[in-house]
């Protein structure tokens, strides 16, 4: 059973547009939700993370929206740039068990 | 850069062989996790080591084993390699805390099994 479901699989956005990637989870014991950015040939790099006690977290052009009742969270990339073209992974973790469950990834292509 | 290093960067093995992958954690981190990332997929948790002891394991067979050393560096060993073991192997280091921790990934080792 996939613990974290991510959509869409791929996304094409024009430069300056908003990129939105969605994730849904099953386990209500999850209490930490990071987003990772991965460029080809590189390991995933932490982008932004949220805990369920807040509904939104913003860092620069990146915002996480969190809906605890719906068990969903999303990443918004404002003013998307070609340099944002990468694969994005959402993840979820239980604080008492240090295992991360990753979504299947979204390949973002920002066109100039 | 995260400060997590992995070696080698690429490796080619044949089916049935054994492989050892190495990871050097970020300074000050006492926990290391290993993940397998197949092409086009998200990372899948293999296991985690905390202070040299295994601290959780994913759905991987026993031929996947690991070690963590006193300096918190780590090894992933895979015996009897199968074609499906071809993947990017990632290690991630972290500093364990009661409220969970952020994991910092290395660049990975790409393993090809022929």
């Amino acid at each position: 059973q996939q613990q974290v479901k991510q959509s869409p699989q791929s996304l094409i956005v024009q430069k300056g547009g908003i990129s939105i990637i969605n994730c849904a989870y099953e386990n209500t014991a999850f209490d930490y939700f990071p987003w990772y950015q991965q460029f080809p040939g590189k390991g995933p790099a932490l982008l932004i993370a949220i805990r369920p006690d807040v509904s939104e977290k913003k860092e620069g052009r990146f915002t996480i929206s969190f809906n605890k009742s719906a068990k969903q969270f999303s990443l918004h990339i404002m003013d998307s740039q070609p340099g944002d073209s990468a694969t994005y992974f959402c993840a979820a973790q239980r604080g008492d068990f240090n295992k991360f469950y990753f979504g299947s990834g979204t390949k973002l292509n920002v066109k100039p | 850069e995260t400060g997590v290093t992995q070696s080698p960067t690429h490796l080619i093995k044949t089916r049935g062989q054994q492989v050892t992958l190495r990871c050097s954690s970020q300074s000050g981190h006492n926990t290391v996790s290993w993940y397998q990332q197949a092409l086009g997929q998200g990372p899948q948790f293999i296991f985690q080591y905390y202070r040299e002891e295994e601290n959780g394991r994913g759905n991987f067979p026993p031929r996947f084993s690991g070690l963590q050393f006193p300096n918190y560096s780590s090894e992933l060993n895979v015996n009897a390699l199968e074609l499906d073991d071809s993947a990017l192997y990632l290690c991630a280091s972290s500093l364990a805390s009661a409220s969970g921790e952020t994991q910092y990934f290395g660049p990975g080792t790409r393993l090809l099994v022929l």
Side-chain angles (χ1 to χ4, degrees):
Chain A
Q1 181 189 11
Q2 193 174 2
Q3 297 271 357
V4 180
K5 295 182 180 179
Q6 184 172 346
S7 63
Q9 191 173 31
S10 62
L11 184 60
I12 299 174
V13 173
Q14 292 294 323
K15 179 182 175 182
I18 302 173
S19 304
I20 302 175
I21 304 170
N22 301 299
C23 283
Y25 63 97
E26 293 294 324
N27 191 340
T28 55
F30 290 146
D31 59 4
Y32 180 66
F33 302 89
W35 283 90
Y36 282 85
Q37 179 189 56
Q38 186 176 28
F39 292 103
K42 303 286 188 182
L46 179 67
L47 197 60
I48 186 173
I50 197 168
R51 297 195 183 273
D53 53 345
V54 297
S55 60
E56 186 175 281
K57 183 175 181 180
K58 184 176 181 179
E59 290 184 1
R61 297 185 294 110
F62 301 93
T63 299
I64 300 178
S65 296
F66 188 84
N67 186 330
K68 189 174 181 178
S69 61
K71 294 188 288 185
Q72 294 176 347
F73 58 110
S74 60
L75 175 69
H76 293 64
I77 305 174
M78 314 300 287
D79 187 26
S80 298
Q81 299 296 313
D84 297 331
S85 297
T87 300
Y88 292 81
F89 293 96
C90 61
Q93 182 204 35
R94 273 172 44 191
D96 62 340
F97 182 44
N98 297 320
K99 170 182 176 178
F100 276 56
Y101 295 88
F102 281 84
S104 54
T106 296
K107 189 171 184 179
L108 172 65
N109 183 9
V110 181
K111 291 194 172 294
Chain B
E1 298 298 322
T2 62
V4 179
T5 60
Q6 291 186 243
S7 63
T9 55
H10 295 82
L11 202 53
I12 299 175
K13 291 285 188 178
T14 56
R15 195 170 47 183
Q17 284 188 312
Q18 179 266 342
V19 69
T20 297
L21 310 182
R22 295 179 173 81
C23 172
S24 179
S25 300
Q26 185 170 334
S27 177
H29 286 181
N30 56 14
T31 302
V32 64
S33 303
W34 284 92
Y35 292 82
Q36 180 194 66
Q37 186 178 19
L39 203 60
Q41 301 293 319
Q44 297 293 314
F45 177 77
I46 302 174
F47 45 57
Q48 183 182 82
Y49 279 80
Y50 170 66
R51 294 187 174 179
E52 303 178 55
E53 297 286 333
E54 188 177 290
N55 183 41
R57 189 178 182 91
N59 295 326
F60 282 81
R63 58 190 185 84
F64 286 77
S65 63
L67 281 173
Q68 187 182 30
F69 300 100
N71 66 356
Y72 301 130
S73 65
S74 176
E75 286 182 356
L76 165 65
N77 298 289
V78 187
N79 293 322
L81 283 167
E82 301 177 359
L83 297 180
D84 285 349
D85 295 334
S86 296
L88 180 68
Y89 288 85
L90 297 161
C91 80
S93 77
S94 55
L95 182 61
S97 68
S99 60
E101 83 284 355
T102 295
Q103 297 191 353
Y104 296 90
F105 285 84
T109 293
R110 185 157 300 279
L111 173 64
L112 178 61
V113 183
L114 301 175

